[in-house]
Amino acid sequence: MDPARCLPVENPTVPFWHRDIHELHDYRTTEDLPASSDVVIIGAGYAGISTAYHLVKEEAGDSKTKLSVTILEARGVCSGATGRNGGHLRPDMYSPMPKFIDRAGIERAVEVSEFEVAHIKAIKSLVEREKIDCDFTLTRSIDVWCNEEDALKAKEKYDMLVSHNLEYIKDVFFVLGKDAEGISGVKGTRACASFTAATLWPYKLILHLTKSILETGMVNLQTHTPVKAVTRQTSGGFIISTARGATFARKVVYANNAYVSGLLPQYSQAIVPCKGFCTHISVQGGTRPPLLNNSYIVRDTDGVVSYLIPRADGSIVVGGANLKYRPFLKQWYNNVDDSILIDEVKDYYDGYMQRTFHGWEDSGAKVDKSWTGVMGYSWDSLPHVGALPGEDDQYVLAGFNGHGMPVVFLSALGVAKMVRDGVAFEDIGVPRLFQTTRERLEKVKNGPAGGDIIVKDA
Ligand SMILES: Cc1cc2nc3c(=O)[nH]c(=O)nc-3n(C[C@H](O)[C@H](O)[C@H](O)COP(=O)(O)OP(=O)(O)OC[C@H]3O[C@@H](n4cnc5c(N)ncnc54)[C@H](O)[C@@H]3O)c2cc1C
């Protein structure tokens, strides 16, 4: 994609989560951009707001330095992928593990899973500490396989991980065969696995954090301010040019995820904007269906994958189905237009609960909201976190795929430690496989177009 076109569009589809728009959604701390700041963060999604949170709320370390931080956001706060996702905070403990083990060995692969698992506790304690009203629910997530062959392969993966005697895998309960359907409640289940996960209202979480960081007086938020270019000054620091004028910063953090190549063309093959699809289903007028107490990943007999969370009011957020639109590259791949739904699946979730879950046949469950969002799909399925290769004072955290909720918050803590206290990547507590390196960027150039992106399933 031409970098100049890699910017959020102005009229995106409206997600369920934006039902009640927060007073800070379109906020600007000052009428004009500040002349200068210690740190400019580009993007006010989960990554940008979490980085600011760690920078100004002391979690990054012992440093008592008071930094000035400016956040520049192209649209409103949390209007990118974070504001349009499935609300599922679910560590992926086994699906990608064989691939990561092959690439880097068991020790590095396990770092990724443990990091994801650690997010459950980290977000739970954040929500409790900050008293965040965001429907946070600690739950069991059930992975379901309806295809016999996929079920057997999943069991093989699980057994392989068990054989390594990993601590975190002890939380996974795997069932293959006749009892799986009764446990999952999904018609035709051949195998299922449950483990600890969480669900939440992402927009409420991010807007609460936004309020909290603005209250420190250290953060200047500028919404509807797309960044056009970042230019290093020979005397040090950077001029950040926006649609509303320029500002100066000593350090820059790129937290603009899917759109990162718009400002950093060296990432154009490593992180590609790809659209995803999600819906909200409510129950209207039929017989009351069973309340779901778990979140889900459902893989149907054809291998179509859906992520699903129940809400306490009985409604459902469900999305995915990318196997259905994968062949139609133009509709989703290298595409930042979240103003239009993905044609191929726009009706896919009509009747989904009735055809998928026992007891929902006469529920009258109906899709009442559909939306799309743009994810930063990374070529090797791993995010890019850390200092820009070969550059001082510029940092990135992007490429979180369709799986940012159990990955971003502690990555942002790590980046904040680098920015504020100059801590080396090796010491920030982020998996080594996430480090953005020249080697990873080079590998993309020499590898097949699309890399893992084209084959990814959720
Ligand atoms: C439909 C869908 C469903 C998903 N479901 C889940 C799920 O259930 N669980 C899960 O773990 N993950 C899910 N994800 C992925 C998850 O939402 C992302 O990985 C995560 O939100 C990434 O956060 P972020 O802050 O990096 O990106 P974003 O939230 O996209 O934030 C980036 C921000 O940068 C801004 N920006 C971009 N360019 C510029 C610029 N030049 N100047 C200024 N601002 C700019 C954007 O407007 C945006 O607000 C889903 C994603 C989608 C789209």
Side-chain angles (χ1 to χ4, degrees):
M1 170 172 294
D2 170 7
R5 287 177 42 238
C6 197
L7 272 173
V9 302
E10 278 174 10
N11 54 342
T13 50
V14 181
F16 163 77
W17 308 117
H18 285 187
R19 192 184 65 190
D20 304 314
I21 286 295
H22 194 279
E23 61 189 0
L24 294 174
H25 186 83
D26 298 314
Y27 188 72
R28 288 178 182 161
T29 305
T30 50
E31 201 174 314
D32 297 319
L33 301 189
S36 71
S37 329
D38 293 314
V39 184
V40 155
I41 297 174
I42 302 168
Y46 186 22
I49 296 296
S50 300
T51 305
Y53 178 83
H54 294 303
L55 281 174
V56 301
K57 301 275 287 195
E58 307 268 324
E59 273 77 5
D62 297 330
S63 157
K64 295 284 178 277
T65 328
K66 292 261 181 230
L67 290 176
S68 56
V69 176
T70 296
I71 303 175
L72 303 174
E73 165 54 52
R75 303 196 293 210
V77 177
C78 201
S79 62
T82 314
R84 20 193 90 249
N85 72 25
H88 206 180
L89 170 49
R90 167 193 171 272
D92 195 345
M93 297 164 167
Y94 36 79
S95 306
M97 281 298 276
K99 185 166 58 190
F100 294 162
I101 293 170
D102 276 357
R103 274 188 210 160
I106 183 82
E107 208 183 294
R108 284 174 191 235
V110 169
E111 282 175 10
V112 176
S113 296
E114 287 179 343
F115 188 71
E116 294 196 11
V117 170
H119 272 76
I120 307 274
K121 276 193 192 147
I123 298 297
K124 178 174 177 286
S125 65
L126 171 75
V127 165
E128 287 167 351
R129 189 171 70 243
E130 292 278 349
K131 299 185 176 42
I132 305 177
D133 172 13
C134 65
D135 295 356
F136 179 89
T137 308
L138 196 63
T139 187
R140 299 285 288 178
S141 185
I142 305 194
D143 273 13
V144 173
W145 292 267
C146 294
N147 175 302
E148 187 72 36
E149 204 184 320
D150 292 349
L152 293 171
K153 276 192 203 151
K155 178 72 166 65
E156 257 174 48
K157 273 188 199 178
Y158 170 74
D159 288 344
M160 180 273 286
L161 293 170
V162 169
S163 74
H164 284 285
N165 200 24
L166 304 170
E167 193 50 40
Y168 79 83
I169 210 78
K170 293 179 183 159
D171 184 45
V172 182
F173 179 63
F174 199 104
V175 181
L176 178 69
K178 70 174 174 49
D179 290 339
E181 183 162 345
I183 291 170
S184 75
V186 172
K187 297 172 188 174
T189 303
R190 294 284 178 262
C192 69
S194 82
F195 49 87
T196 307
T199 61
L200 73 166
W201 188 309
Y203 180 72
K204 288 190 180 175
L205 170 72
I206 300 307
L207 269 293
H208 185 109
L209 293 182
T210 304
K211 186 161 187 279
S212 165
I213 58 176
L214 289 176
E215 279 166 2
T216 65
M218 293 157 72
V219 176
N220 186 311
L221 169 65
Q222 296 287 330
T223 60
H224 302 282
T225 307
V227 173
K228 305 273 183 173
V230 177
T231 315
R232 182 183 283 283
Q233 301 298 284
T234 45
S235 50
F238 303 86
I239 295 289
I240 296 98
S241 309
T242 81
R244 298 178 47 239
T247 185
F248 172 86
R250 286 196 304 113
K251 298 185 180 190
V252 180
V253 177
Y254 298 84
N256 53 337
N257 199 30
Y259 310 88
V260 72
S261 66
L263 299 172
L264 299 171
Q266 64 270 42
Y267 284 84
S268 63
Q269 288 160 281
I271 299 176
V272 177
C274 293
K275 284 171 66 175
F277 179 64
C278 201
T279 64
H280 177 260
I281 293 179
S282 59
V283 175
Q284 302 157 353
T287 54
R288 195 184 167 131
L291 283 174
L292 302 183
N293 295 319
N294 304 103
S295 62
Y296 286 87
I297 296 286
V298 178
R299 298 165 180 84
D300 74 10
T301 38
D302 299 329
V304 178
V305 182
S306 298
Y307 46 83
L308 181 151
I309 68 162
R311 296 187 23 76
D313 64 5
S315 69
I316 302 290
V317 173
V318 57
N322 84 5
L323 192 70
K324 288 273 168 200
Y325 59 81
R326 195 180 288 161
F328 306 92
L329 285 183
K330 270 198 180 147
Q331 291 185 30
W332 65 279
Y333 180 75
N334 216 359
N335 184 331
V336 291
D337 190 356
D338 54 5
S339 72
I340 47 169
L341 298 176
I342 302 172
D343 216 30
E344 216 52 41
V345 284
K346 63 181 178 357
D347 304 320
Y348 181 78
Y349 288 102
D350 290 350
Y352 181 80
M353 295 307 290
Q354 287 87 337
R355 63 181 188 262
T356 306
F357 283 87
H358 283 291
W360 281 70
E361 294 79 1
D362 301 318
S363 62
K366 219 173 161 180
V367 173
D368 59 17
K369 198 94 190 149
S370 303
W371 63 93
T372 178
V374 185
M375 296 166 275
Y377 267 21
S378 76
W379 186 87
D380 57 9
S381 295
L382 290 158
H384 284 260
V385 178
L388 288 192
E391 297 274 347
D392 291 332
D393 300 331
Q394 295 193 86
Y395 307 85
V396 65
L397 63 163
F400 292 106
N401 302 293
H403 193 62
M405 296 312 288
V407 179
V408 169
F409 189 69
L410 297 176
S411 294
L413 173 60
V415 168
K417 287 178 182 174
M418 296 179 89
V419 171
R420 195 170 78 173
D421 300 323
V423 179
F425 183 89
E426 293 68 33
D427 300 319
I428 61 171
V430 171
R432 284 170 284 180
L433 283 171
F434 289 7
Q435 185 172 16
T436 187
T437 60
R438 199 167 298 197
E439 193 195 355
R440 276 178 78 193
L441 297 179
E442 284 302 317
K443 210 168 178 180
V444 177
K445 282 191 206 151
N446 302 324
D452 276 354
I453 296 168
I454 304 291
V455 294
K456 191 182 292 299
D457 64 6

PDB file of all heavy atoms in Angstrom, residues 25-47:
ATOM      1  N   HIS A  25     -13.908  11.149  24.069  1.00  0.00           N
ATOM      2  CA  HIS A  25     -13.684  10.491  22.773  1.00  0.00           C
ATOM      3  C   HIS A  25     -13.004  11.438  21.761  1.00  0.00           C
ATOM      4  O   HIS A  25     -12.065  11.060  21.075  1.00  0.00           O
ATOM      5  CB  HIS A  25     -15.023  10.011  22.210  1.00  0.00           C
ATOM      6  CG  HIS A  25     -14.901   9.200  20.957  1.00  0.00           C
ATOM      7  ND1 HIS A  25     -14.621   7.852  20.968  1.00  0.00           N
ATOM      8  CD2 HIS A  25     -14.988   9.543  19.642  1.00  0.00           C
ATOM      9  CE1 HIS A  25     -14.560   7.396  19.729  1.00  0.00           C
ATOM     10  NE2 HIS A  25     -14.778   8.408  18.904  1.00  0.00           N
ATOM     11  N   ASP A  26     -13.485  12.672  21.690  1.00  0.00           N
ATOM     12  CA  ASP A  26     -12.957  13.628  20.698  1.00  0.00           C
ATOM     13  C   ASP A  26     -12.169  14.750  21.387  1.00  0.00           C
ATOM     14  O   ASP A  26     -12.090  15.877  20.882  1.00  0.00           O
ATOM     15  CB  ASP A  26     -14.131  14.245  19.907  1.00  0.00           C
ATOM     16  CG  ASP A  26     -14.905  13.192  19.145  1.00  0.00           C
ATOM     17  OD1 ASP A  26     -14.258  12.339  18.496  1.00  0.00           O
ATOM     18  OD2 ASP A  26     -16.150  13.204  19.207  1.00  0.00           O
ATOM     19  N   TYR A  27     -11.586  14.452  22.520  1.00  0.00           N
ATOM     20  CA  TYR A  27     -11.002  15.490  23.384  1.00  0.00           C
ATOM     21  C   TYR A  27      -9.672  16.040  22.871  1.00  0.00           C
ATOM     22  O   TYR A  27      -8.865  15.303  22.297  1.00  0.00           O
ATOM     23  CB  TYR A  27     -10.782  14.880  24.776  1.00  0.00           C
ATOM     24  CG  TYR A  27     -10.366  15.870  25.833  1.00  0.00           C
ATOM     25  CD1 TYR A  27     -11.270  16.805  26.336  1.00  0.00           C
ATOM     26  CD2 TYR A  27      -9.070  15.865  26.329  1.00  0.00           C
ATOM     27  CE1 TYR A  27     -10.881  17.709  27.315  1.00  0.00           C
ATOM     28  CE2 TYR A  27      -8.680  16.762  27.309  1.00  0.00           C
ATOM     29  CZ  TYR A  27      -9.588  17.681  27.794  1.00  0.00           C
ATOM     30  OH  TYR A  27      -9.197  18.567  28.759  1.00  0.00           O
ATOM     31  N   ARG A  28      -9.496  17.338  23.079  1.00  0.00           N
ATOM     32  CA  ARG A  28      -8.181  17.956  22.887  1.00  0.00           C
ATOM     33  C   ARG A  28      -7.835  18.740  24.145  1.00  0.00           C
ATOM     34  O   ARG A  28      -8.603  19.626  24.549  1.00  0.00           O
ATOM     35  CB  ARG A  28      -8.174  18.902  21.686  1.00  0.00           C
ATOM     36  CG  ARG A  28      -8.239  18.182  20.364  1.00  0.00           C
ATOM     37  CD  ARG A  28      -8.292  19.146  19.198  1.00  0.00           C
ATOM     38  NE  ARG A  28      -8.407  18.413  17.954  1.00  0.00           N
ATOM     39  CZ  ARG A  28      -8.825  18.933  16.808  1.00  0.00           C
ATOM     40  NH1 ARG A  28      -9.162  20.226  16.765  1.00  0.00           N
ATOM     41  NH2 ARG A  28      -8.883  18.209  15.720  1.00  0.00           N
ATOM     42  N   THR A  29      -6.696  18.430  24.722  1.00  0.00           N
ATOM     43  CA  THR A  29      -6.310  19.087  25.975  1.00  0.00           C
ATOM     44  C   THR A  29      -6.128  20.585  25.766  1.00  0.00           C
ATOM     45  O   THR A  29      -6.513  21.396  26.608  1.00  0.00           O
ATOM     46  CB  THR A  29      -4.984  18.471  26.493  1.00  0.00           C
ATOM     47  OG1 THR A  29      -5.171  17.067  26.589  1.00  0.00           O
ATOM     48  CG2 THR A  29      -4.578  19.032  27.847  1.00  0.00           C
ATOM     49  N   THR A  30      -5.501  20.937  24.650  1.00  0.00           N
ATOM     50  CA  THR A  30      -5.300  22.351  24.325  1.00  0.00           C
ATOM     51  C   THR A  30      -5.814  22.585  22.907  1.00  0.00           C
ATOM     52  O   THR A  30      -5.869  21.646  22.098  1.00  0.00           O
ATOM     53  CB  THR A  30      -3.798  22.722  24.372  1.00  0.00           C
ATOM     54  OG1 THR A  30      -3.068  21.749  23.590  1.00  0.00           O
ATOM     55  CG2 THR A  30      -3.254  22.726  25.786  1.00  0.00           C
ATOM     56  N   GLU A  31      -6.155  23.838  22.623  1.00  0.00           N
ATOM     57  CA  GLU A  31      -6.707  24.140  21.299  1.00  0.00           C
ATOM     58  C   GLU A  31      -5.695  23.830  20.200  1.00  0.00           C
ATOM     59  O   GLU A  31      -6.013  23.245  19.164  1.00  0.00           O
ATOM     60  CB  GLU A  31      -7.101  25.611  21.271  1.00  0.00           C
ATOM     61  CG  GLU A  31      -8.105  25.925  20.204  1.00  0.00           C
ATOM     62  CD  GLU A  31      -8.578  27.371  20.315  1.00  0.00           C
ATOM     63  OE1 GLU A  31      -8.891  27.814  21.447  1.00  0.00           O
ATOM     64  OE2 GLU A  31      -8.572  28.037  19.281  1.00  0.00           O
ATOM     65  N   ASP A  32      -4.447  24.220  20.453  1.00  0.00           N
ATOM     66  CA  ASP A  32      -3.380  23.956  19.472  1.00  0.00           C
ATOM     67  C   ASP A  32      -2.459  22.864  20.017  1.00  0.00           C
ATOM     68  O   ASP A  32      -2.421  22.601  21.221  1.00  0.00           O
ATOM     69  CB  ASP A  32      -2.563  25.232  19.239  1.00  0.00           C
ATOM     70  CG  ASP A  32      -3.431  26.326  18.634  1.00  0.00           C
ATOM     71  OD1 ASP A  32      -4.242  26.016  17.746  1.00  0.00           O
ATOM     72  OD2 ASP A  32      -3.312  27.490  19.094  1.00  0.00           O
ATOM     73  N   LEU A  33      -1.658  22.315  19.115  1.00  0.00           N
ATOM     74  CA  LEU A  33      -0.687  21.316  19.570  1.00  0.00           C
ATOM     75  C   LEU A  33       0.324  21.992  20.489  1.00  0.00           C
ATOM     76  O   LEU A  33       0.686  23.146  20.270  1.00  0.00           O
ATOM     77  CB  LEU A  33       0.080  20.734  18.377  1.00  0.00           C
ATOM     78  CG  LEU A  33      -0.701  20.037  17.266  1.00  0.00           C
ATOM     79  CD1 LEU A  33       0.270  19.341  16.305  1.00  0.00           C
ATOM     80  CD2 LEU A  33      -1.671  19.026  17.838  1.00  0.00           C
ATOM     81  N   PRO A  34       0.813  21.289  21.512  1.00  0.00           N
ATOM     82  CA  PRO A  34       1.881  21.898  22.325  1.00  0.00           C
ATOM     83  C   PRO A  34       3.129  22.080  21.460  1.00  0.00           C
ATOM     84  O   PRO A  34       3.316  21.339  20.483  1.00  0.00           O
ATOM     85  CB  PRO A  34       2.124  20.848  23.414  1.00  0.00           C
ATOM     86  CG  PRO A  34       1.604  19.572  22.859  1.00  0.00           C
ATOM     87  CD  PRO A  34       0.506  19.915  21.911  1.00  0.00           C
ATOM     88  N   ALA A  35       3.956  23.057  21.814  1.00  0.00           N
ATOM     89  CA  ALA A  35       5.168  23.302  21.005  1.00  0.00           C
ATOM     90  C   ALA A  35       6.109  22.098  21.093  1.00  0.00           C
ATOM     91  O   ALA A  35       6.718  21.691  20.097  1.00  0.00           O
ATOM     92  CB  ALA A  35       5.869  24.563  21.495  1.00  0.00           C
ATOM     93  N   SER A  36       6.241  21.536  22.300  1.00  0.00           N
ATOM     94  CA  SER A  36       7.165  20.401  22.434  1.00  0.00           C
ATOM     95  C   SER A  36       6.754  19.512  23.605  1.00  0.00           C
ATOM     96  O   SER A  36       6.007  19.938  24.496  1.00  0.00           O
ATOM     97  CB  SER A  36       8.598  20.907  22.643  1.00  0.00           C
ATOM     98  OG  SER A  36       8.703  21.473  23.924  1.00  0.00           O
ATOM     99  N   SER A  37       7.260  18.284  23.573  1.00  0.00           N
ATOM    100  CA  SER A  37       7.010  17.318  24.654  1.00  0.00           C
ATOM    101  C   SER A  37       8.230  16.433  24.771  1.00  0.00           C
ATOM    102  O   SER A  37       9.038  16.333  23.844  1.00  0.00           O
ATOM    103  CB  SER A  37       5.829  16.393  24.350  1.00  0.00           C
ATOM    104  OG  SER A  37       4.872  17.006  23.573  1.00  0.00           O
ATOM    105  N   ASP A  38       8.322  15.756  25.901  1.00  0.00           N
ATOM    106  CA  ASP A  38       9.383  14.752  26.012  1.00  0.00           C
ATOM    107  C   ASP A  38       9.093  13.584  25.073  1.00  0.00           C
ATOM    108  O   ASP A  38       9.970  13.080  24.388  1.00  0.00           O
ATOM    109  CB  ASP A  38       9.485  14.250  27.459  1.00  0.00           C
ATOM    110  CG  ASP A  38       9.969  15.344  28.400  1.00  0.00           C
ATOM    111  OD1 ASP A  38      10.949  16.025  28.048  1.00  0.00           O
ATOM    112  OD2 ASP A  38       9.337  15.533  29.459  1.00  0.00           O
ATOM    113  N   VAL A  39       7.832  13.152  25.089  1.00  0.00           N
ATOM    114  CA  VAL A  39       7.469  11.965  24.299  1.00  0.00           C
ATOM    115  C   VAL A  39       6.189  12.237  23.515  1.00  0.00           C
ATOM    116  O   VAL A  39       5.216  12.742  24.084  1.00  0.00           O
ATOM    117  CB  VAL A  39       7.205  10.744  25.223  1.00  0.00           C
ATOM    118  CG1 VAL A  39       6.917   9.496  24.398  1.00  0.00           C
ATOM    119  CG2 VAL A  39       8.365  10.503  26.181  1.00  0.00           C
ATOM    120  N   VAL A  40       6.216  11.914  22.230  1.00  0.00           N
ATOM    121  CA  VAL A  40       4.973  11.895  21.452  1.00  0.00           C
ATOM    122  C   VAL A  40       4.609  10.441  21.200  1.00  0.00           C
ATOM    123  O   VAL A  40       5.458   9.646  20.771  1.00  0.00           O
ATOM    124  CB  VAL A  40       5.100  12.672  20.126  1.00  0.00           C
ATOM    125  CG1 VAL A  40       4.099  12.153  19.091  1.00  0.00           C
ATOM    126  CG2 VAL A  40       4.832  14.158  20.347  1.00  0.00           C
ATOM    127  N   ILE A  41       3.355  10.103  21.492  1.00  0.00           N
ATOM    128  CA  ILE A  41       2.838   8.759  21.188  1.00  0.00           C
ATOM    129  C   ILE A  41       1.844   8.903  20.044  1.00  0.00           C
ATOM    130  O   ILE A  41       0.922   9.726  20.111  1.00  0.00           O
ATOM    131  CB  ILE A  41       2.134   8.151  22.425  1.00  0.00           C
ATOM    132  CG1 ILE A  41       3.138   7.964  23.573  1.00  0.00           C
ATOM    133  CG2 ILE A  41       1.471   6.822  22.070  1.00  0.00           C
ATOM    134  CD1 ILE A  41       2.515   7.512  24.889  1.00  0.00           C
ATOM    135  N   ILE A  42       2.044   8.109  19.004  1.00  0.00           N
ATOM    136  CA  ILE A  42       1.145   8.182  17.844  1.00  0.00           C
ATOM    137  C   ILE A  42       0.147   7.031  17.928  1.00  0.00           C
ATOM    138  O   ILE A  42       0.520   5.858  17.858  1.00  0.00           O
ATOM    139  CB  ILE A  42       1.949   8.118  16.526  1.00  0.00           C
ATOM    140  CG1 ILE A  42       2.962   9.272  16.488  1.00  0.00           C
ATOM    141  CG2 ILE A  42       1.006   8.179  15.319  1.00  0.00           C
ATOM    142  CD1 ILE A  42       3.993   9.160  15.381  1.00  0.00           C
ATOM    143  N   GLY A  43      -1.123   7.373  18.141  1.00  0.00           N
ATOM    144  CA  GLY A  43      -2.177   6.363  18.250  1.00  0.00           C
ATOM    145  C   GLY A  43      -2.734   6.304  19.658  1.00  0.00           C
ATOM    146  O   GLY A  43      -1.981   6.183  20.629  1.00  0.00           O
ATOM    147  N   ALA A  44      -4.061   6.401  19.778  1.00  0.00           N
ATOM    148  CA  ALA A  44      -4.722   6.337  21.094  1.00  0.00           C
ATOM    149  C   ALA A  44      -5.615   5.113  21.175  1.00  0.00           C
ATOM    150  O   ALA A  44      -6.804   5.197  21.496  1.00  0.00           O
ATOM    151  CB  ALA A  44      -5.511   7.608  21.359  1.00  0.00           C
ATOM    152  N   GLY A  45      -5.039   3.950  20.852  1.00  0.00           N
ATOM    153  CA  GLY A  45      -5.728   2.672  21.083  1.00  0.00           C
ATOM    154  C   GLY A  45      -5.162   2.057  22.349  1.00  0.00           C
ATOM    155  O   GLY A  45      -4.573   2.746  23.205  1.00  0.00           O
ATOM    156  N   TYR A  46      -5.316   0.766  22.466  1.00  0.00           N
ATOM    157  CA  TYR A  46      -4.840   0.015  23.640  1.00  0.00           C
ATOM    158  C   TYR A  46      -3.327   0.232  23.833  1.00  0.00           C
ATOM    159  O   TYR A  46      -2.860   0.486  24.956  1.00  0.00           O
ATOM    160  CB  TYR A  46      -5.155  -1.450  23.356  1.00  0.00           C
ATOM    161  CG  TYR A  46      -4.922  -2.489  24.416  1.00  0.00           C
ATOM    162  CD1 TYR A  46      -4.850  -2.198  25.766  1.00  0.00           C
ATOM    163  CD2 TYR A  46      -4.842  -3.835  24.021  1.00  0.00           C
ATOM    164  CE1 TYR A  46      -4.673  -3.218  26.702  1.00  0.00           C
ATOM    165  CE2 TYR A  46      -4.667  -4.853  24.945  1.00  0.00           C
ATOM    166  CZ  TYR A  46      -4.576  -4.540  26.284  1.00  0.00           C
ATOM    167  OH  TYR A  46      -4.399  -5.548  27.195  1.00  0.00           O
ATOM    168  N   ALA A  47      -2.574   0.186  22.729  1.00  0.00           N
ATOM    169  CA  ALA A  47      -1.115   0.297  22.839  1.00  0.00           C
ATOM    170  C   ALA A  47      -0.684   1.710  23.238  1.00  0.00           C
ATOM    171  O   ALA A  47       0.146   1.887  24.139  1.00  0.00           O
ATOM    172  CB  ALA A  47      -0.459  -0.107  21.513  1.00  0.00           C
TER     173      ALA A  47
END
